[in-house]
Amino acid sequence: MEILQFFVERHDEILSKTWQHLQLVGLSMFIAIFVGVPLGLLLTRKEKLAPPLLGFANAVQTIPSLALFGFLIPIPIIGGIGMRSATIALVLYALLPILRNTYTGIRSVDPAVVEAGKGMGMTDIQRLRWIEVPLALPTVIAGVRIATVLTVGLATIASAIGAGGLGDFIFRGITMVDSRFILAGALPAAILAIALDALLGRAEKRWVMS
Amino acid sequence: MADPAVELREVSKAFGGDRPALSKVSLQIGSGETVVLLGSSGSGKTTTLKTINRLVTPDSGEILVRGKSVGSWDPIDLRRQTGYVIQEVGLLPHLSVEDNIGLVPRLLGWTEQKRRERTLELLELVSLAPEAFAHKRPFELSGGQRQRVGVARALAADPPLLLMDEPFGALDPINRRKLQDEFRELRDRLNKTIVFVTHDVPEALRLAHRIGVMHEGKLLQLDSPRTVLERPADAFVRDLVRLDTKEAVLGS
């Protein structure tokens, strides 16, 4: 009850931090999809690039997030404190699931179907547009789902370099040893992750059905 | 043969491995003729078929389609003017029957109205009621219905040449027989040049004007079904078209 009261008292701040958090996640995901999907398609056409690029994306994932945010602070132009460098770090983390799922999604399309398209006289671009992308789309969306949930969680840590968002509550809670603040950050973040995941899950299902 | 629709001249192809997939295959197919390439898997029949629409490029030899070397055709044009039917998987699973059939016309830039009319006409042709099937997706169809849609799609842009790779291979005997009968009727009505690949001897005997028997990359014999039965070129062909087959087909 005490917690509920706390939430009611602070609802303005909680809502604005949630909104800030959502913006951070939204912007990062937008860029990650915009970069990751075309890059994944490119890798299916230039197979030689796949091992180094997927390896790089894999390596980024192994860097502890707090360390990556820290590394970005002294870097000029792209780095520093605040939303910009946080976005860059979040994009780097979200890239791997999107890149990998796009690449494997396209590669796992039945080669017989692709050859049938070729036999019908489709150009490479037409095969991509009519066969490979639509058939790989559920896998691509699954990658975006994973990346989104990941990013909602990671974005709380971005507060450490001044990016704002729900992480502000959590860090405040830790410093003040006040679990109410921690919950004020963690609970909306969890709800956000579940809600976005469900939303994308519906998009995925709708695509499979139609 | 005057002006063959398709001609292969000493076509060879090796994919690596011990023996070539095709060695010096030569044949001529007349306009409006149905040639069935008959052989077991690995005999080179599918590879031969794919050299015709340039899905396979031969190591040596020449392939002519309507008098023009396939190397000098634009592969996209060549394929759009060549119907291609394959076993089972040829339909795009995410598109409706109507969209599958209208795909090549769409690539060719036909108007929606024209595509629609053509699709309905073709569904009738392959004995599928348009109003019941146009909007279905491939997974909602039976094997036989899928194959009919596959044939309709290959015919969509009215290509003079049809390549069919084991189109009835996945069907049960009853449906298979039914589609074969319909195929014969279509064959006689539409006057297309058809190259048909199968490993099924009765099917070859039933559908072909001429049968090309293939084994280990070589074309052993190319003759009418009757000649293949009565005067097999060698012991292999004789064993392939065994006596019981002869009775089954000629006795019925």
Side-chain angles (χ1 to χ4, degrees), chain B residues 98 105 109-121:
Chain B
E98 186 177 350
W110 293 19
T111 62
E112 198 182 329
Q113 174 68 18
K114 199 172 159 202
R115 282 203 314 262
R116 215 182 144 68
E117 282 167 13
R118 180 68 178 152
T119 305
L120 301 185
E121 183 188 351

Side-chain angles (χ1 to χ4, degrees), chain A residues 115 118 121 126 130 209, chain B residues 50 79-80 94 106 137:
Chain A
E115 198 182 45
K118 204 171 168 186
Q126 286 167 336
W130 285 99
M209 289 293 155
Chain B
K50 286 181 178 173
R79 290 170 192 152
R80 286 182 187 172
H94 55 294
R106 195 168 194 155
R137 295 262 303 274

Side-chain angles (χ1 to χ4, degrees), chain B residues 160-177:
Chain B
L161 173 63
L162 277 183
L163 305 178
M164 307 180 83
D165 191 357
E166 303 253 10
F168 309 140
L171 302 181
D172 61 85
I174 294 171
N175 267 306
R176 189 172 183 141
R177 185 64 200 255

